[in-house]
Amino acid sequence: DLSDLAQGIYDPYTDLYYFTDTNKIQVFSKTQGSWQSPINIPAPQGAAQRLWGIALSPDGSNLAVSDASAGVIYSSGPVGRHKREYVRG
């Protein structure tokens, strides 16, 4: 269900679009014209979650996503370079 998408960004290095959803990042391939596997982001323990803002670093190496409900920023490498770090904001 893609009805909860909030914001999106295009990654010119991978030809992918990333969209924030309630608790995951939805990934759309411009090249394939189809949705790919989402990036699941677990909420901090005991926190509600609503992913909202999204930004890509200029070199495409880092994807930052804000969580409006939990009050944190998630920093993650884009698809294929996935890592997960939590930065409290």
Side-chain angles (χ1 to χ4, degrees):
D1 179 23
L2 302 172
S3 62
D4 291 328
L5 299 182
Q7 295 186 20
I9 192 163
Y10 174 67
D11 181 350
Y13 298 99
T14 61
D15 229 11
L16 296 173
Y17 288 91
Y18 298 101
F19 297 92
T20 54
D21 204 335
T22 301
N23 60 357
K24 61 188 157 228
I25 300 169
Q26 298 287 356
V27 182
F28 185 83
S29 170
K30 180 180 174 184
T31 305
Q32 297 178 17
S34 63
W35 293 99
Q36 307 298 299
S37 296
I39 300 171
N40 294 307
I41 300 181
Q45 187 172 354
Q49 191 173 40
R50 179 54 173 117
L51 302 182
W52 197 259
I54 189 167
L56 184 68
S57 63
D59 67 357
S61 66
N62 196 287
L63 190 64
V65 179
S66 67
D67 185 330
S69 293
V72 298
I73 302 293
Y74 303 100
S75 174
S76 173
V79 171
R81 300 175 285 198
H82 187 67
K83 64 181 180 179
R84 187 178 67 221
E85 299 173 4
Y86 300 104
V87 180
R88 297 244 175 232

